Amino acid sequence: MLTEDQKAFYAENGYLMVEDVLRPEELKRLQDITYGLIDGSREVSQSNEVYDLDRGHSAEAPKLTRIKLPHKRDPYFWEILRNSRITEVLGDLLGPDATLLTSKLNTKAPGGGAAVEWHQDWAFYPHTNDDLLAFGIMLEDVQEDTGPLMVIPGTHKGPLLSHMANGVFAGAIDPEDPLFEKQKAVTLTGRAGSMTVHHARILHGSAPNVSDRARLLLFYEIAKGDAWPILGSNSYFHALGQAKFWEDLQERTITGSPCLTPRLEPVPVTMPLPPAPDTGSIFRMQESAGAKSAFR
């Protein structure tokens, strides 16, 4: 799916735009499912295990920041990850064995959908190596005014910046950090059906949606099979028990098979602790921790 030049660009810069990764019929089906889920939020008055509601949400005018774990809401979100051109890109970048960490459908509502402050995904889930990435699949056209993803090229090779604020893990960097070079940011816009890729260590964020259109971006966060989580793996293992942990791992295996021999690399790791007062989502985490905004 990817050319050698594209793979080299990703390795050097930590991000990539892949145009028209979805076929028209795939895009249409994902759009229909997504708008159906948004319509279902009319019956919800507070955030729950499916929806993160935005300010001003109502039955008459649904406004969401996120649909959580879409691959568990409709099986097609899992099918498109495992059997499409997205899967081919995954194989090109991570090899034959890959595991899903999480999925989310960021649904920035028109007229002010919440910003995501600058951060590195790696700060949230350190692993034994950093062969981790995120796919951002555009379900509608993404333009400058819809709050597109922004990245700072090359920062996936640099240090892990502090994500602390007021003594807790805020899930956002301080925009006054001297290592934060916002002037180098690249904005990733594109037409529906295209996809961004960004490395787990690259600095990225997105401004509010100030347009009159929804910004629907389907995210999959994925690890190479031999990258194992450092934080939470033991407690998760014991909480589920061996049998259920193994079952869960198999269910999250996208391609290939689970790797039981973690690859250890000298990667920068800082544990994301102590937790913010509200860890329900990155939006609530950043807000509850009092993270400084780079978008005001």
Side-chain angles (χ1 to χ4, degrees), residues 75-275:
Y76 193 62
F77 289 108
W78 180 247
E79 176 65 21
I80 205 73
L81 180 60
R82 296 194 71 241
N83 295 291
S84 71
R85 290 191 286 208
I86 297 169
T87 324
E88 295 177 36
V89 175
L90 180 59
D92 285 341
L93 295 177
L94 289 186
D97 302 311
T99 303
L100 180 67
L101 301 179
T102 191
S103 67
K104 52 201 174 189
L105 213 171
N106 286 356
T107 56
K108 284 189 181 182
V116 178
E117 301 298 336
W118 287 88
H119 65 283
Q120 294 163 290
D121 293 341
W122 181 253
F124 293 78
Y125 42 71
H127 278 60
T128 59
N129 67 70
D130 66 355
D131 270 336
L132 292 86
L133 53 72
F135 289 161
I137 300 151
M138 301 174 181
L139 301 186
E140 294 288 2
D141 292 349
V142 175
Q143 299 171 328
E144 292 274 356
D145 60 351
T146 60
L149 182 69
M150 295 180 287
V151 299
I152 301 183
T155 49
H156 67 304
K157 297 181 178 181
L160 176 64
L161 275 61
S162 173
H163 287 63
M164 302 293 287
N166 301 311
V168 298
F169 180 75
I173 67 162
D174 185 341
E176 297 175 7
D177 191 312
L179 296 178
F180 176 48
E181 299 177 294
K182 188 179 179 182
Q183 71 277 10
K184 295 183 178 180
V186 173
T187 300
L188 303 180
T189 58
R191 58 182 173 266
S194 298
M195 179 177 82
T196 62
V197 184
H198 69 265
H199 191 279
R201 282 174 56 186
I202 199 170
L203 271 166
H204 63 285
S206 62
N209 178 5
V210 297
S211 76
D212 59 359
R213 307 173 305 283
R215 193 214 70 173
L216 305 180
L217 201 57
L218 171 61
F219 276 110
Y220 296 102
E221 296 177 8
I222 303 167
K224 190 178 178 72
D226 64 5
W228 275 73
I230 293 173
L231 181 66
S233 57
N234 286 339
S235 59
Y236 188 42
F237 181 90
H238 290 300
L240 283 179
Q242 286 177 297
K244 287 190 176 296
F245 181 85
W246 176 241
E247 180 181 343
D248 175 75
L249 182 60
Q250 290 178 301
E251 287 177 355
R252 292 186 294 106
T253 298
I254 306 166
T255 56
S257 57
C259 175
L260 302 183
T261 307
R263 175 167 52 90
L264 304 176
E265 299 287 351
V267 288
V269 169
T270 300
M271 295 305 182
L273 295 170

